[in-house]
Amino acid sequence: MTEKMIADFWFDPSCPYTWVTSRWLLEVEKVRPVEVRWRVMSLSVLNEGRDDDPEGDPEGYLWVPVRVCAAVQQEYGQEALGRLYTAMWTCGHDRGEQEWIGSLHDALAAAGLPLELAEAGTSTAYDEAVRASHAEGIGLIGDHVGTPVVAVTGAGGERVVFFGPVISRAPTGEQAGRLWDGTLLVAGIPGFHELKGAPHEKPQLGDLM
């Protein structure tokens, strides 16, 4: 039996492109010997100290979902975090703090987790956990990128780390597998830094919700 590669997936739960990438990775699990491990990173932490606001979040609403994710990761583990992440998007959400809290109750219930975890969203109790998980992921690649960061550990312990891929549609089946193969091939070349495709289009979320 082929030993599975572990793909550590650092994500900010608010990013729609990251959501699409995560659904692609779940497809990869079906066609390649890969196991995804869910980990938290934060665009709010990444952008601290910047003069501009690339996420358009002056009120800090993006701290709400990532704090809840960090609480789940710390208290219940990465598998529970993966369930919550799926439920966050399939239960729907908006950007305001109160809308996040309301939809988080639905998401926590769908993920089989205690509803009181939503309270972590407006508390600083898990900020240290957010920052620690974020630092672990971004430390592998550098703060010149965003979300997601993927780190793959092969059977021999070798590490391949990359940002993205940023995709607007999640391929399925063998197409998902080919994208995985190609991404690992390119990212694993010594000295590789960046590869870009066509201009961005809006994430195609309809079939993923």
Side-chain angles (χ1 to χ4, degrees):
M1 183 176 180
T2 303
E3 185 175 352
K4 288 187 176 181
M5 288 190 288
I6 300 297
D8 289 296
F9 184 79
W10 278 269
F11 67 96
D12 184 304
S14 67
C15 177
Y17 286 104
T18 298
W19 165 251
V20 177
T21 303
S22 74
R23 300 308 96 178
W24 160 66
L25 274 181
L26 291 182
E27 286 292 319
V28 171
E29 283 190 323
K30 300 175 184 177
V31 295
R32 295 293 186 269
V34 173
E35 179 182 340
V36 179
R37 291 195 303 206
W38 307 98
R39 301 181 181 273
V40 171
M41 67 178 296
S42 169
L43 289 170
S44 296
V45 173
L46 184 69
N47 294 322
E48 281 180 331
R50 292 185 56 157
D51 294 331
D52 60 341
D53 180 14
E55 308 308 323
D57 185 37
E59 302 300 323
Y61 292 142
L62 296 185
W63 273 102
V64 175
V66 78
R67 284 167 170 163
V68 176
C69 283
V72 171
Q73 180 179 354
Q74 182 168 304
E75 303 297 337
Y76 293 92
Q78 64 88 22
E79 290 184 4
L81 175 59
R83 296 199 308 271
L84 177 63
Y85 184 34
T86 293
M88 278 179 163
W89 281 88
T90 54
C91 290
H93 65 261
D94 294 305
R95 287 290 295 272
E97 180 178 303
Q98 295 306 315
E99 287 81 2
W100 262 118
I101 292 298
S103 61
L104 280 171
H105 283 136
D106 294 338
L108 287 163
L113 293 164
L115 300 187
E116 56 265 27
L117 284 167
E119 297 172 7
T122 53
S123 165
T124 60
Y126 289 92
D127 285 10
E128 184 176 342
V130 171
R131 293 180 184 280
S133 183
H134 175 91
E136 183 181 0
I138 211 72
L140 296 172
I141 195 168
D143 60 5
H144 59 288
V145 302
T147 174
V149 171
V150 181
V152 182
T153 303
E158 67 277 11
R159 292 280 261 179
V160 176
V161 184
F162 53 89
F163 159 66
V166 179
I167 51 178
S168 56
R169 308 174 191 182
T172 60
E174 186 55 25
Q175 187 178 49
R178 290 198 301 271
L179 177 57
W180 174 257
D181 297 339
T183 300
L184 284 190
L185 176 63
V186 172
I189 297 297
F192 169 75
H193 295 290
E194 186 173 7
L195 176 69
K196 286 191 174 183
H200 285 191
E201 64 176 359
K202 290 183 178 180
Q204 307 298 303
L205 304 177
D207 294 337
L208 304 177
M209 306 294 281

